[in-house]
Amino acid sequence: MGAFNTSLELSNTEEFCISCHEMESNVYEELKTTIHFTNRSGVRATCPDCHVPHKWTNKIARKMQASKEVWGKIFGTINTREKFLAHRKTLAEHEWDRLKANDSLECRNCHNFDYMDFTAQSTRAAQQHSTSLASGEKTCIDCHKGIAHQLPDMKGVEGW
Amino acid sequence: MKTIIKGLLIASIAFSGIAIHSVAQEISTLRNETKLDEQKTPNKIYQVNNSDIKQKRNYPMQPPLIPHTIRNYEVNLNTNKCMACHSRQRTEESQAPMVSVTHFMDRDGNFLAEISPRRYFCSQCHVTQQDTKPLVENTFIDMHTLMKAKTDPK
């Protein structure tokens, strides 16, 4: 178990995430232009902040799921930007489903709804956060897709 | 004859040279008078106005200013983030104003089912406003004010 944990910790660093070319030259490059890379507060979100749950049980579940499913199948076959883009929608949908299922757990690790000051937010934001989000009808990822990477073809996606 | 033409040519080139020179001194570009091989200290980047308060339009055909930030809103082949709030189907949830009917018209005035391709790239016409002083004075007077000035008894 100890060894398993160690290798898991290693694979939870950003360095590990972008050690393969398809991650570095696609998603990482895109992340750099967004608010989760540079912002006025200087707080940076790294790949594992959004993609690996912090709770141990979830973590393993996610890890096993990831290695078995889509990701495992797809990576290794992607070696050009075109091939990456061809698979992007499948990969994105997988992440949306996961974040929908866990009520955007990773987002909430940094953005805690209880401490959101609506009066300090823009009118557009406060309006949505105090209604659909507060009632639990919607979760972060329902309204905030594409906050860290470029979007795939959004035809048929709910809310677009 | 030939020499006259030549003379004229030379004179006009010389004159245009002077003209260009004096114009170059007047025009103030983003680079101002920075030499080509020098790097200008960048201008300050101002905050985008995010007040969510709609601005007055100066004339009926003016594309309204965007009263909110649009950082990282993608408008490309895959997606149009603006339409995720401003399309007919989305306005109830987003509470954003719907793009007006002109956005559905092709150039012959026919109405299409979706927004017209010529209105797809919103920022061709709509821009945000920065929180800064105008670079040049605005002397625009709108029609309403003009008409009022005409009809008002002095």
Side-chain angles (χ1 to χ4, degrees):
Chain A
M1 194 65 187
F4 183 43
N5 198 2
T6 319
S7 66
L8 208 57
E9 290 309 328
L10 171 70
S11 61
N12 279 3
T13 64
E14 182 164 82
E15 212 183 323
F16 174 82
C17 298
I18 58 173
S19 61
C20 68
H21 161 80
E22 50 267 53
M23 287 297 185
E24 161 135 52
S25 55
N26 293 300
V27 271
Y28 182 62
E29 278 307 316
E30 293 170 8
L31 177 69
K32 282 191 190 164
T33 66
T34 74
I35 194 156
H36 284 102
F37 198 84
T38 53
N39 52 60
R40 58 189 163 169
S41 345
V43 182
R44 234 210 83 189
T46 63
C47 325
D49 287 332
C50 289
H51 290 294
V52 186
H54 286 68
K55 269 199 246 135
W56 177 236
T57 45
N58 276 354
K59 202 176 188 176
I60 293 199
R62 163 91 188 104
K63 183 79 186 169
M64 304 317 271
Q65 191 192 9
S67 50
K68 274 206 225 107
E69 278 179 28
V70 208
W71 297 74
K73 252 184 267 163
I74 290 173
F75 284 97
T77 63
I78 298 175
N79 47 23
T80 64
R81 174 85 180 158
E82 285 67 34
K83 286 187 195 164
F84 173 76
L85 292 181
H87 286 106
R88 169 161 253 174
K89 189 151 186 182
T90 317
L91 293 168
E93 277 170 344
H94 188 71
E95 288 309 288
W96 293 331
D97 289 348
R98 182 177 62 80
L99 287 162
K100 179 77 182 162
N102 71 9
D103 195 15
S104 311
L105 178 68
E106 286 76 29
C107 314
R108 291 173 193 265
N109 280 334
C110 286
H111 301 271
N112 192 323
F113 176 77
D114 294 335
Y115 302 113
M116 267 190 188
D117 179 355
F118 294 155
T119 63
Q121 292 186 349
S122 68
T123 316
R124 275 191 316 160
Q127 213 273 329
Q128 298 288 328
H129 292 162
S130 60
T131 52
S132 311
L133 177 64
S135 68
E137 184 196 323
K138 293 232 167 97
T139 185
C140 317
I141 200 63
D142 287 324
C143 301
H144 291 294
K145 295 185 174 70
I147 37 106
H149 317 289
Q150 285 169 21
L151 288 164
D153 184 354
M154 296 299 279
K155 203 169 282 143
V157 177
E158 206 192 317
W160 289 78
Chain B
M1 187 62 188
K2 262 192 186 155
T3 39
I4 297 176
I5 293 177
K6 254 190 207 159
L8 280 174
L9 262 177
I10 291 169
S12 66
I13 290 170
F15 271 123
S16 60
I18 294 167
I20 287 171
H21 184 73
S22 58
V23 167
Q25 278 176 337
E26 283 162 27
I27 293 178
S28 168
T29 64
L30 282 177
R31 285 179 57 80
N32 291 336
E33 257 133 60
T34 322
K35 290 205 188 86
L36 264 183
D37 57 353
E38 275 169 25
Q39 191 74 41
K40 184 178 179 274
T41 334
N43 295 335
K44 185 177 185 300
I45 298 175
Y46 292 95
Q47 295 275 316
V48 168
N49 197 334
N50 193 29
S51 67
D52 286 317
I53 295 169
K54 293 185 201 168
Q55 299 296 302
K56 184 181 75 188
R57 299 182 207 179
N58 291 314
Y59 50 96
M61 295 75 76
Q62 183 200 324
L65 287 169
I66 308 173
H68 55 71
T69 53
I70 57 168
R71 181 181 171 177
N72 277 5
Y73 284 180
E74 283 177 71
V75 176
N76 54 31
L77 191 62
N78 281 336
T79 175
N80 188 324
K81 173 77 178 172
C82 311
M83 290 302 278
C85 288
H86 288 282
S87 73
R88 183 184 61 80
Q89 305 93 300
R90 296 287 308 151
T91 49
E92 186 175 349
E93 269 189 42
S94 67
Q95 288 297 306
M98 189 188 96
V99 291
S100 65
V101 288
T102 58
H103 295 65
F104 292 81
M105 284 153 87
D106 69 9
R107 63 175 173 187
D108 301 318
N110 303 315
F111 287 101
L112 309 174
E114 262 301 323
I115 54 156
S116 173
R118 59 187 195 144
R119 290 275 166 115
Y120 189 83
F121 296 103
C122 319
S123 54
Q124 244 175 287
C125 304
H126 297 279
V127 291
T128 52
Q129 175 68 56
Q130 287 178 337
D131 187 13
T132 174
K133 287 201 192 103
L135 287 173
V136 289
E137 190 200 349
N138 186 355
T139 55
F140 179 83
I141 303 168
D142 73 9
M143 209 53 170
H144 194 76
T145 317
L146 276 181
M147 288 191 313
K148 229 174 142 199
K150 270 225 162 136
T151 51
D152 261 359
K154 296 265 150 65

